[in-house]
Amino acid sequence: MSTVTTTTAAAGEPTLAGDRPRPHLDWRLRFGVLSLIWGFSFLLIKVGTQGYAPFQVTLGRLVFGTAVLAAAMAWKRERLPRGAGTWGRLAVAAFLLNALPFSLFAYSELTIPSTLAGICNATSPLWGMALSLVALSEDRPTRIRFAGLGLGFLGVLTVLGAWQGFHGLDVTGTAMALLASLSYPIGWIYVRRTLAGTGNSHLSMTGAQLLLATVQLAVVTPLFTSFPGHVSWLPLLAIAALGALGTGLAVLIQYGLVAEVGPTTAQMVTYFIPVIATAAGVAVLGESLRWSTPVGAVVVLAGAALTQMRPRTRTP
């Protein structure tokens, strides 16, 4: 994780170190709320796609999320970043961390359960570990982290039922969910290399990033979708909650957690997301669950946890 950005797998929005908001609620309570919000995001995506096209779900999500960030910026009297170079790099970050993964998850849930999408999301630390081998020379993995990488991808194969030849699995939808999870660490590495030390606040950078992602989807969506013939209220409410809570409020909560308890503790929310996503999908949507799904998810999370371990520094 970068000293400039700290994100969770499901969020994809940067959190700048150095901003120190005054906490009003105990961090454990906020941690639990954040886990629930992001865990239920996959259920909300599934409900949203029942009434609207995936690009429309993503655009709505970004519009509502950006509105929350804009309100927070107005409240704190924050200004957007300046400089064409910064905005250009933020546009790339917006694509990699928001527009692309959000759209891929929405498309994937047309054909795969929200439970599987949530578990695929948990592979982001594994992809990040693999990418760090070639992209971050200062972040060389240890043997334990290598073992975690292998264990994690073994868990992925278990979730997918590889020994059965992936029987009953929609390959395209699953591949989209895995690509969405891969997009996050690519974006993190890009931000780490190009947007460090800008001097802008977390809120300013995140607001600009979401605004740019919204513009990107506003351009793309009309090209691939038609205007809805009628309003589907339940999917629309799901999209509004997905954006306002899962993309807007959650970012502010995550930012406060990182500032208060540090990125290592804050990123532990990643390991609760697939558990909540699976429980929500089964309990609310009635999605079926094979034994290999929870077993594989546990193996994925164990591997992901190992990849995040850092060697202890010895004090003289």
Side-chain angles (χ1 to χ4, degrees), residues 210-243:
L210 286 182
L211 176 61
L212 288 167
T214 303
V215 171
Q216 291 169 1
L217 262 294
V219 172
V220 171
T221 301
L223 300 177
F224 295 94
T225 65
S226 57
F227 194 80
H230 65 282
V231 177
S232 299
W233 288 107
L234 182 59
L236 181 59
L237 289 174
I239 294 170
L242 179 65

Side-chain angles (χ1 to χ4, degrees), residues 3-200:
T3 56
V4 177
T5 60
T6 302
T7 54
T8 67
E13 290 90 6
T15 298
L16 301 188
D19 295 319
R20 299 287 177 180
R22 182 178 298 173
H24 298 286
L25 297 174
D26 184 83
W27 73 267
R28 297 170 187 83
L29 179 60
R30 285 177 284 135
F31 184 96
V33 171
L34 184 61
S35 300
L36 287 172
I37 289 174
W38 274 334
F40 271 86
S41 292
F42 298 95
L43 180 151
L44 295 174
I45 293 172
K46 173 68 77 173
V47 175
T49 57
Q50 293 174 357
Y52 299 93
F55 275 141
Q56 293 170 343
V57 172
T58 303
L59 176 59
R61 174 181 187 174
L62 288 168
V63 166
F64 284 106
T66 302
V68 171
L69 268 293
M73 289 181 64
W75 177 262
K76 294 189 176 183
R77 298 182 179 179
E78 291 273 1
R79 293 183 177 180
L80 291 171
R82 297 180 179 180
T86 298
W87 278 88
R89 292 187 290 273
L90 279 171
V92 177
F95 175 75
L96 293 172
L97 292 172
N98 303 114
L100 179 61
F102 290 179
S103 298
L104 285 172
F105 273 125
Y107 269 100
S108 74
E109 291 200 39
L110 291 176
T111 55
I112 68 173
S114 65
T115 54
L116 179 55
I119 293 171
C120 287
N121 180 77
T123 63
S124 276
L126 305 178
W127 296 121
M129 160 75 177
L131 290 171
S132 71
L133 295 175
V134 295
L136 299 174
S137 59
E138 73 275 17
D139 190 23
R140 292 301 181 187
T142 62
R143 291 181 179 179
I144 292 178
R145 297 179 70 196
F146 262 123
L149 183 64
L151 183 64
F153 283 112
L154 178 62
V156 172
L157 294 176
T158 303
V159 170
L160 302 182
W163 68 92
Q164 297 176 333
F166 308 108
H167 177 70
L169 181 73
D170 183 83
V171 176
T172 301
T174 305
M176 285 184 176
L178 291 173
L179 284 173
S181 302
L182 172 61
S183 181
Y184 287 130
I186 293 175
W188 300 336
I189 291 172
Y190 175 81
V191 169
R192 181 171 176 172
R193 287 184 174 275
T194 64
L195 286 168
T198 62
N200 295 293

